Amino acid sequence: MEYIAIEGGRRLSGKVCVNVSKNAALPILAATLLTGEESKLEGIPPLLDVFTMYDVLRQLGAEVREEGKVVRIWRSDPTRFEASHDLVRRMRASFLVMGPLLARHGRARISLPGGCAIGSRPIDLHLKGLVAMGAVISVEHGYVEAKAARLRGAEIHLDVPSVGATENLMMAATLAEGTTYIYNAAREPEVVDLAGFLNAMGAVVRGAGTDVVRISGVEELKGASYRIIPDRIEAGTYLLAGAITGGEVVVENAVSHHLEAFLAKLREAGVEVEVSGDSIRAAASGRPRAVDVTTLPYPGFPTDLQPPFMAFLTLSEGTSLVTENIFEDRFRQVDELKRMGARIRLQGKVAMVEGVDHLTGAPVTATDLRAGAALVLAGLAARGTTEVRAVHHLDRGYVRLEETLAGLGAQIERRREPADAKVPQLEPVP
Ligand code: UD1
C-alpha cells in the first residue's frame, strides 16, 4: 500500500506541461465503439481511469494498442455487449459505452454504476433520453439492459445539464434515424471536444457548447484521428499548488478560456494571473484574500476544482463561503483539512472557511480524487509532515502527481507502507 509524504513549507516555482483531459478522453474512448474502423488518439495520459476504460472496451471486443504516444483502437469482435459490474463499479464513466453500443448494435447490457463517494449520482437522465429515442430498458440483477431495433431522433429535455447524460445521448443520436435535440445540454469543453471527435468520425453534431445540441443521424461512422483538449482541472490544480505555497507556477499547453471562472477567483484572492498564448502563470505572495466560491455547470466555477480551491482558502485572511451546487456530498475533504488545523463549518451545501495563518502536517486519507488533491495542496503549505493515504484516488486523475510537484521544488515522495503496517480500511473505488 502506498502513501504520499510531504514536508510542507517549500515555495513552488517552475513550469508544468498539462496532459490531455481525462474527462474528455473517457467519452471519446467510448465513442470509438460507434464504428468497426480504427481510431487513433494521441497523448492519452496513463491514468487509472483511462486503463479502466481500456478494460471496458476490451471486454466489449475492442483491440486497444498503445504505441508510443498514440493509442489505436478498433472493435475486432462486435458480438460482445456486456460491461461487467467489476469494471463499471471501478468508474462511473464506464456507463458511457451504453449510448454507442445501443446506437450501433441495438443492444447493450451494462452494470448499474451504483454508489459513489461524492453523492448518489443517478443515471436516470441517460436512461430517460434513450427511452425517448425508442430504447426499451429494463434493470435486472444490477444490470441495465437496453434494446432498440434502431434508435430514432427525439426532443430531449434534461432536468439538469448533466455532462455524462449529454455525452451518452449525443453518441446514441449520431446513428439514430432522424434528428435529436438535447435541450438544457451541458456546455462543458469536454462535451464540445466529444462533438469534435464525433464530427471527425462523420457524425453531424451542431450546437455543442450551447444549451441546445442538435444531432442529425447518419447511416454509419468511420474511424478518426484526433487530438484531445488539455485537462483544465489538472491545470487548475498546479496553479493552486504554486499559489498555496506563495510561489509561482506556469502551466503550459493550457486553454485559459476553459478556466475563466477559476482564474477570476484566483485573481480575486490576490493571485497575479497572466495568460500568454497557451500558458498561464500564477504568482502569489502572502496569504490569499477570502473569496466566496459557488460551483455551477460550465461556464461557472467547476465542482472538480472546489476541493483544491477550498484547501487554498483555508489559509486566507478572512472568511470565505464555498457553496457546492453540483454534488450533494462533495465536502469530504473538510474533516481531513480540519485535522490539519483548518477552520471550516459545514451547513448543508455551504462551507464556511475561516482562514488560519498556518496549517500543520498530519496523517490524512483521500476519500476521492479531488479531495485527495486538496489534501496534497494543504500538505505542501503545512508546517511539518503530511502523509496522504489512499493515493490510488490520485492516480485516477493525475499522472504521478508527486513527481510533477517535486519538479516544482516540493519535498514530496511516494512511499510504501512497511509490510507489517496497519493499513486503514479503504472504501471501494466509486
Ligand atoms: C462529470 C465529470 C466529473 C464532474 C461532473 C460535473 C467525467 C468523467 N466526470 O461527471 O468529473 O465533476 O461531470 O462537472 O466527465 N444527475 C442526475 N441524473 C443523471 C445524471 C446526473 O440527477 O442521470 C445529476 C448528478 O447527480 C449531479 C449532476 O447531475 O448532481 C451533475 O452530474 P453530471 O454532470 O452527470 O456528472 P458526471 O457526468 O457524472
Side-chain angles (χ1 to χ4, degrees), residues 22-24 26-27 49 92-93 96 118-127 160-165 167 186 188 190 232 296-297 302-304 325-328 330 370:
K22 165 181 88 76
N23 285 353
L26 295 174
D49 277 5
R92 254 182 79 76
L96 292 170
I118 56 171
S120 64
R121 298 175 84 178
I123 47 158
D124 57 318
L125 301 176
H126 303 231
L127 301 185
V160 292
S162 154
V163 174
E167 292 168 343
E188 269 66 3
E190 295 77 17
R232 61 194 169 107
L296 286 170
T303 175
D304 287 349
N325 284 314
I326 308 296
F327 294 113
E328 77 267 30
R330 204 171 201 176
R370 307 303 171 185

Side-chain angles (χ1 to χ4, degrees), residues 255-329:
V255 182
S256 61
H257 74 262
H258 291 166
L259 280 158
E260 292 298 356
F262 166 77
L263 296 178
K265 284 293 161 188
L266 214 50
R267 287 191 177 105
E268 206 181 314
V271 177
E272 194 185 307
V273 177
E274 199 185 303
V275 175
S276 158
D278 70 353
S279 72
I280 308 172
R281 174 180 153 273
S285 57
R287 290 170 62 186
R289 282 197 289 270
V291 296
D292 293 344
V293 173
T294 301
T295 64
L296 286 170
Y298 190 84
F301 191 96
T303 175
D304 287 349
L305 282 173
Q306 177 266 108
F309 206 86
M310 182 189 284
F312 174 60
L313 291 178
T314 60
L315 291 166
S316 66
E317 279 180 354
T319 299
S320 312
L321 292 184
V322 177
T323 307
E324 173 57 54
N325 284 314
I326 308 296
F327 294 113
E328 77 267 30
D329 191 15

Side-chain angles (χ1 to χ4, degrees), residues 153-192:
E155 299 212 348
I156 298 167
H157 297 259
L158 297 181
D159 296 341
V160 292
S162 154
V163 174
T166 304
E167 292 168 343
N168 226 342
L169 297 172
M170 239 163 66
M171 292 189 276
T174 54
L175 292 175
E177 192 176 346
T179 302
T180 299
Y181 293 84
I182 306 174
Y183 296 101
N184 198 24
R187 292 180 284 168
E188 269 66 3
E190 295 77 17
V191 171
V192 178

